[in-house]
Coordinates of all heavy atoms in Angstrom, one line a residue:
G76 N 0.8 -1.3 0.0 CA 0.0 0.0 0.1 C 0.8 1.3 0.1 O 0.4 2.3 0.1
S77 N 2.2 1.2 -0.2 CA 2.9 2.4 -0.1 C 3.0 3.1 -1.4 O 3.4 4.3 -1.4 CB 4.4 2.0 0.3 OG 4.9 1.1 -0.7
L78 N 2.7 2.4 -2.6 CA 2.8 3.0 -3.8 C 1.6 2.9 -4.7 O 0.7 1.8 -4.4 CB 3.9 2.3 -4.8 CG 5.3 2.4 -4.2 CD1 6.2 1.5 -4.9 CD2 5.8 3.8 -4.1
I79 N 1.3 3.7 -5.6 CA 0.2 3.7 -6.4 C 0.8 3.8 -7.8 O 1.7 4.7 -8.1 CB -0.8 4.9 -6.3 CG1 -1.5 4.8 -4.9 CG2 -1.8 5.0 -7.4 CD1 -2.2 6.1 -4.5
V80 N 0.3 3.0 -8.8 CA 0.6 3.1 -10.2 C -0.7 3.5 -10.9 O -1.7 3.1 -10.6 CB 1.2 1.7 -10.8 CG1 0.2 0.7 -10.7 CG2 1.8 2.0 -12.2
S81 N -0.4 4.4 -11.8 CA -1.6 4.9 -12.7 C -1.1 4.8 -14.2 O 0.0 4.9 -14.5 CB -2.0 6.3 -12.4 OG -1.0 7.3 -12.7
S82 N -2.1 4.7 -15.1 CA -1.9 4.6 -16.5 C -2.8 5.6 -17.2 O -3.9 5.8 -16.7 CB -2.0 3.3 -17.1 OG -3.3 2.7 -16.8
S83 N -2.5 6.0 -18.5 CA -3.4 6.9 -19.2 C -3.2 6.8 -20.6 O -2.2 6.3 -21.1 CB -3.0 8.4 -18.7 OG -3.7 9.3 -19.5
Y84 N -4.3 7.3 -21.3 CA -4.1 7.4 -22.8 C -3.0 8.4 -23.2 O -2.6 8.5 -24.5 CB -5.5 8.0 -23.2 CG -6.7 7.1 -23.4 CD1 -7.9 7.5 -22.9 CD2 -6.5 5.8 -23.9 CE1 -8.8 6.6 -22.9 CE2 -7.7 5.0 -23.9 CZ -8.8 5.3 -23.4 OH -9.9 4.5 -23.5
D85 N -2.4 9.2 -22.2 CA -1.4 10.1 -22.5 C -0.1 9.3 -22.8 O 0.9 9.9 -23.2 CB -1.1 11.2 -21.6 CG -0.7 10.6 -20.2 OD1 -0.3 9.5 -20.0 OD2 -0.7 11.4 -19.2
G86 N -0.2 8.0 -22.7 CA 1.0 7.1 -22.9 C 2.0 6.9 -21.9 O 3.0 6.2 -22.0
L87 N 1.6 7.4 -20.6 CA 2.4 7.2 -19.4 C 2.0 6.5 -18.4 O 0.8 6.3 -18.2 CB 2.8 8.7 -18.7 CG 3.3 9.8 -19.6 CD1 3.2 11.1 -18.8 CD2 4.6 9.4 -20.3
C88 N 2.9 5.6 -17.8 CA 2.7 5.0 -16.4 C 3.3 5.8 -15.4 O 4.5 6.0 -15.5 CB 3.2 3.6 -16.4 SG 2.3 2.5 -17.4
R89 N 2.7 6.2 -14.3 CA 3.3 6.9 -13.2 C 3.2 6.2 -11.9 O 2.2 5.6 -11.5 CB 2.7 8.3 -13.1 CG 3.0 9.2 -14.2 CD 2.9 10.7 -14.0 NE 3.9 11.4 -14.7 CZ 3.5 12.5 -15.5 NH1 2.3 12.9 -15.6 NH2 4.4 13.0 -16.1
I90 N 4.2 6.3 -11.2 CA 4.3 5.6 -9.8 C 4.1 6.9 -8.8 O 5.1 7.7 -8.9 CB 5.5 4.7 -9.6 CG1 5.2 3.5 -10.7 CG2 5.5 4.1 -8.2 CD1 6.4 3.1 -11.3
W91 N 3.5 6.6 -7.8 CA 3.1 7.7 -6.8 C 3.4 7.1 -5.4 O 3.2 6.0 -5.0 CB 1.7 8.2 -6.9 CG 1.3 8.5 -8.3 CD1 0.8 7.8 -9.1 CD2 1.4 9.9 -8.8 NE1 0.4 8.5 -10.3 CE2 0.8 9.8 -10.1 CE3 1.7 11.3 -8.4 CZ2 0.7 10.9 -11.0 CZ3 1.5 12.3 -9.2 CH2 1.1 12.1 -10.5
D92 N 3.9 8.0 -4.6 CA 4.1 7.7 -3.2 C 2.7 8.0 -2.4 O 2.1 9.1 -2.6 CB 5.1 8.7 -2.5 CG 5.3 8.4 -1.1 OD1 4.3 8.2 -0.3 OD2 6.4 8.4 -0.6
A93 N 2.1 6.8 -2.0 CA 0.7 6.9 -1.6 C 0.6 7.7 -0.4 O -0.5 8.4 -0.1 CB 0.1 5.5 -1.2
S94 N 1.5 8.0 0.4 CA 1.5 8.8 1.6 C 1.5 10.2 1.5 O 0.7 11.1 2.0 CB 2.5 8.4 2.8 OG 3.8 8.7 2.0
N95 N 2.2 10.7 0.4 CA 2.3 12.1 0.2 C 1.9 12.7 -1.2 O 1.9 13.8 -1.5 CB 3.9 12.7 0.4 CG 4.9 12.1 -0.4 OD1 4.6 11.6 -1.5 ND2 6.1 12.0 0.0
G96 N 1.6 11.7 -2.0 CA 1.1 12.0 -3.4 C 2.2 12.4 -4.3 O 1.9 13.0 -5.4
H97 N 3.4 12.3 -4.0 CA 4.5 12.7 -4.9 C 4.7 11.7 -6.0 O 4.7 10.5 -5.8 CB 5.9 12.9 -4.2 CG 5.9 14.1 -3.2 ND1 6.9 14.3 -2.2 CD2 5.1 15.1 -3.2 CE1 6.7 15.4 -1.7 NE2 5.6 15.9 -2.1
C98 N 5.0 12.2 -7.3 CA 5.3 11.3 -8.3 C 6.8 10.9 -8.3 O 7.7 11.7 -8.2 CB 5.1 12.0 -9.7 SG 5.5 11.0 -11.2
M99 N 7.0 9.5 -8.1 CA 8.3 9.1 -7.9 C 8.9 8.5 -9.2 O 10.3 8.6 -9.3 CB 8.2 7.9 -6.9 CG 7.7 8.2 -5.5 SD 7.5 6.7 -4.5 CE 9.3 6.2 -4.4
K100 N 8.1 8.3 -10.0 CA 8.7 7.6 -11.3 C 7.7 7.7 -12.5 O 6.5 7.6 -12.2 CB 9.2 6.3 -11.1 CG 10.1 5.7 -12.3 CD 10.8 4.4 -11.8 CE 12.1 4.8 -10.9 NZ 12.8 3.7 -10.5
T101 N 8.3 8.1 -13.7 CA 7.4 7.9 -14.8 C 8.0 6.9 -15.8 O 9.1 7.0 -16.2 CB 7.4 9.3 -15.5 OG1 6.8 10.2 -14.7 CG2 6.4 9.1 -16.8
L102 N 7.3 5.9 -16.2 CA 7.7 4.9 -17.0 C 7.4 5.2 -18.5 O 6.3 5.5 -18.7 CB 7.1 3.5 -16.8 CG 7.4 2.9 -15.4 CD1 6.7 1.5 -15.3 CD2 8.8 2.8 -15.1
I103 N 8.4 5.4 -19.4 CA 8.0 5.8 -20.8 C 8.9 5.0 -21.7 O 10.0 4.6 -21.5 CB 8.3 7.3 -20.9 CG1 7.8 7.7 -22.3 CG2 9.8 7.7 -20.7 CD1 7.4 9.1 -22.2

């Protein structure tokens, strides 16, 4: 539960710190 991954039609996968909402990584 420490990380969130999201995906979008914009072509990106992003990994977020669930506790503070910071974007930790963008997979491209």
Side-chain angles (χ1 to χ4, degrees):
S77 62
L78 301 173
I79 293 165
V80 63
S81 64
S82 60
S83 168
Y84 286 135
D85 66 11
L87 304 179
C88 289
R89 291 207 148 124
I90 294 139
W91 310 85
D92 183 315
S94 60
N95 61 26
H97 291 164
C98 181
M99 296 175 66
K100 194 161 283 184
T101 300
L102 299 182
I103 188 155

